[in-house]
């Protein structure tokens, strides 16, 4: 089947449809590999990363791991977005979910002190770095508005544990706020008022940076948005007598 898809990509490598369906097929392989990993891990699967290598049975080491598919799936989803938007509401959230998950797995493995998993941890970090670099490259090629439907996903990961992933999320949000303040400011201002100190600080840094680079005509929007948000918070806290 992969050979057939390879032939399709050879002839239609610059089309959304071909890249999307290749990504979907490889994503199915990834999910199947993940299911087999969970089955091998047995009852302990819930305590480990979805991308972690199973250690219970060495007889299955020749099988593909879900981690092996991540970068290629992300790249094909991103390429499909570059050439069209018919499948954007399926490909964009799935692409970001895979990226966030492998970044979180890499961050968790970096903090682990289990020397027996050093080889697996190193691979997770390599895959996370490759996926992040791929999306960094695609973020310069995709129309910026492509990321707008993913705004809730991006803002919810402002404090992502993987440093490189977090930096790219902040960069994307900065560009979105700067270029689409009317669409993005409300979400970011709400995040800046979060009761979670780290999330609030991260959102405020993104807003401050975007405000500095905004045109003079757009800068009042930042102050008006913050003022409106504060007034709405006061209304919510108001206790009529």
């Amino acid at each position: 089947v992969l050979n057939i898809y390879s032939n399709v990509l050879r002839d239609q490598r610059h089309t959304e449809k071909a890249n999307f369906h290749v990504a979907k097929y490889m994503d199915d392989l990834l999910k199947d590999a993940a299911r087999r990993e969970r089955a091998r891990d047995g009852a302990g699967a819930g305590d480990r990363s979805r991308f972690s290598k199973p250690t219970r049975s060495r007889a299955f080491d020749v099988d593909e791991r879900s981690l092996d598919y991540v970068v290629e799936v992300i790249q094909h989803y991103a390429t499909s977005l570059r050439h069209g938007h018919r499948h954007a509401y399926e490909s964009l959230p799935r692409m970001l979910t895979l990226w966030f998950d492998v970044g979180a797995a890499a961050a968790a493995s970096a903090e682990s002190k289990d020397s027996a998993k050093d080889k697996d941890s190193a691979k997770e970090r390599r895959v996370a770095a490759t996926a992040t670099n791929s999306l960094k490259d695609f973020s310069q090629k995709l129309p910026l508005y492509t990321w707008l439907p993913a705004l809730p996903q991006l803002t919810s990961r402002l404090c992502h544990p993987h440093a490189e992933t977090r930096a790219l999320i902040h960069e994307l949000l900065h560009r979105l706020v700067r270029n689409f303040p009317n669409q993005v400011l409300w979400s970011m201002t709400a995040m800046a008022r979060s009761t979670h100190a780290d999330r609030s600080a991260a959102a405020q840094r993104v807003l401050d940076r975007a405000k500095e680079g905004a045109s003079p005509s757009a800068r009042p929007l930042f102050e008006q948005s913050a003022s409106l948000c504060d007034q709405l918070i006061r209304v919510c806290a108001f206790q009529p007598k």
Side-chain angles (χ1 to χ4, degrees), residues 139-140 144 147-148 151 154-155 158 166-182 184-185 188 202-215 222:
S139 71
Q140 300 299 321
L144 188 56
W147 301 95
L148 284 173
L151 187 60
L154 293 170
T155 55
L158 271 165
R166 185 172 62 249
L168 183 52
I169 291 170
H170 289 190
E171 176 63 25
L172 286 170
L173 287 171
H174 159 252
R175 291 172 59 199
L176 287 170
V177 175
R178 183 175 175 180
N179 289 277
F180 304 104
N182 290 320
V184 182
L185 263 178
M188 288 301 298
Q204 193 58 55
R205 286 195 298 272
V206 172
L207 286 171
D208 290 342
R209 184 183 168 203
K211 182 179 178 180
E212 289 176 4
S215 63
F222 289 82

Side-chain angles (χ1 to χ4, degrees), residues 186 227-237:
W186 179 248
S227 178
L228 175 61
C229 192
D230 290 338
Q231 292 297 328
L232 289 174
I233 291 173
R234 292 191 184 97
V235 170
C236 292

Side-chain angles (χ1 to χ4, degrees), residues 61-159:
D61 282 353
V62 295
D63 283 356
E64 296 88 349
R65 293 175 54 197
S66 56
L67 189 64
D68 297 328
Y69 294 106
V70 172
V71 170
E72 202 163 355
V73 173
I74 287 175
Q75 289 175 340
H76 282 299
Y77 275 134
T79 303
S80 75
L81 287 166
R82 186 180 176 190
H83 296 295
H85 304 108
R86 182 175 182 180
H87 302 286
Y89 287 97
E90 187 173 357
S91 53
L92 182 59
R94 179 58 179 161
M95 178 185 74
L96 291 177
T97 296
L98 287 171
W99 175 41
F100 295 152
D101 285 351
V102 73
S109 66
E111 295 177 359
S112 174
K113 297 181 180 180
D114 188 350
S115 58
K117 295 184 178 180
D118 284 350
K119 184 177 179 180
D120 297 330
S121 299
K123 183 168 185 177
E124 285 179 332
R125 291 195 292 273
R126 284 198 305 273
V127 171
T130 302
T132 302
N133 288 334
S134 292
L135 284 180
K136 188 180 296 183
D137 180 56
F138 276 107
S139 71
Q140 300 299 321
K141 297 175 181 176
L142 292 174
L144 188 56
Y145 61 78
T146 303
W147 301 95
L148 284 173
L151 187 60
Q153 273 185 287
L154 293 170
T155 55
S156 68
R157 301 310 199 283
L158 271 165
C159 298

Side-chain angles (χ1 to χ4, degrees), residues 40-51:
R40 285 174 240 151
D41 281 345
D47 299 327
R48 285 193 285 272
S49 160
R50 61 187 294 185
F51 294 115

